[in-house]
Amino acid sequence: MDESSLWYVAYGSNLFHERFACYLSGGRPAGGARRYTGCRDPRPPRAELSVTVPGGIYFALTSQVWGGGMAFYDPALPGRAAARAYLLTRRQFCDVMSQEMRRDVGTDHDLSEAVAHGRQRVGPGRYETIVRVGERGGHPMLTFTAPQPASAAELNAPSAPYLTMLGHGLHEAHGWAPARAAGYLAARPGARGAWTPRRIAALLDPPRRPADRAAGLPSSHERR
């Protein structure tokens, strides 16, 4: 297996390309409270794929960037999680990983345990557990998550800005309409019971223009 390049598999806000670009070249994403330093190598990914992986996501703890619960991946949950894979150099992957762990970039992490055995705990923190979810083109596909499963997590409902970012990422990566993305997100542990598909869809669907309201035309969500 060729580890000179690695697939970073994003299932949360990094589904949205513009937001992920902040991890590569630095900057602050729209709606976020944190500015990212970027990678030592700020070039864009060599390739991108829209994928699904076994398991699911859940929302837990509290994000310092978005407020509300953060998305985590649990391979033991039923179903499949919608994701987006970015083919990065090993150095880029390590710098993205460091930023997720709120560490300084520049460390070339040892990923051998994750690649060989499917799971590696780098630290006790929120995104300090690496999970291999497959391989593509001879390159390992890795993602980051919390060490505990959804069943042991401190579930917490996500914020509206965070759900908006995820919904836009699902549309961009998979072509999902607001209704489909909203149904998917509302059913995740942590969001379930706190958010309805209708409320999330309203975040994702552009409001009617003044001229449309004056003419009595519905929004695109209402027309579907």
Side-chain angles (χ1 to χ4, degrees):
M1 191 179 300
D2 183 3
E3 297 179 43
S4 61
S5 295
L6 303 164
W7 292 99
Y8 162 52
V9 180
Y11 54 83
S13 57
N14 281 336
L15 282 163
F16 195 48
H17 191 281
E18 183 178 326
R19 188 265 196 279
F20 179 59
C22 294
Y23 277 84
L24 296 177
S25 57
R28 186 174 68 183
R34 177 184 173 192
R35 179 171 293 278
Y36 295 87
T37 57
C39 294
R40 288 168 285 177
D41 178 356
R43 290 177 297 175
R46 292 172 51 193
E48 298 178 20
L49 292 173
S50 299
V51 298
T52 63
V53 294
I57 67 168
Y58 63 94
F59 296 101
L61 305 177
T62 300
S63 171
Q64 298 176 27
V65 177
W66 305 101
M70 301 176 291
F72 295 100
Y73 170 67
D74 182 352
L77 285 173
R80 297 188 70 85
R84 190 173 196 171
Y86 301 96
L87 186 60
L88 308 177
T89 67
R90 186 184 180 91
R91 177 172 288 187
Q92 284 178 314
F93 182 92
C94 288
D95 284 348
V96 169
M97 178 178 161
S98 292
Q99 290 175 85
E100 282 279 41
M101 297 188 300
R102 291 187 169 267
R103 302 182 187 182
D104 293 335
V105 301
T107 298
D108 293 325
H109 301 279
D110 176 11
L111 308 172
S112 57
E113 185 179 345
V115 172
H117 302 293
R119 192 176 185 93
Q120 180 175 345
R121 190 167 174 177
V122 180
R126 298 174 170 189
Y127 289 111
E128 297 186 350
T129 297
I130 311 169
V131 179
R132 180 166 59 83
V133 296
E135 68 174 87
R136 186 70 63 93
H139 302 291
M141 303 180 76
L142 304 177
T143 193
F144 322 122
T145 189
Q148 72 275 359
S151 58
E154 182 186 331
L155 297 179
N156 189 24
S159 68
Y162 191 54
L163 286 171
T164 301
M165 186 69 71
L166 267 64
H168 290 330
L170 290 167
H171 171 73
E172 189 178 79
H174 292 271
W176 288 5
R180 182 174 181 182
Y184 170 81
L185 294 170
R188 302 308 101 194
R192 188 186 305 134
W195 285 92
T196 65
R198 186 180 183 88
R199 286 181 62 208
I200 297 176
L203 299 173
L204 308 179
D205 199 38
R208 290 180 295 174
R209 296 170 300 175
D212 290 342
R213 289 197 298 270
L217 297 176
S219 68
S220 58
H221 173 64
E222 293 168 328
R223 289 194 295 269
R224 282 190 292 271

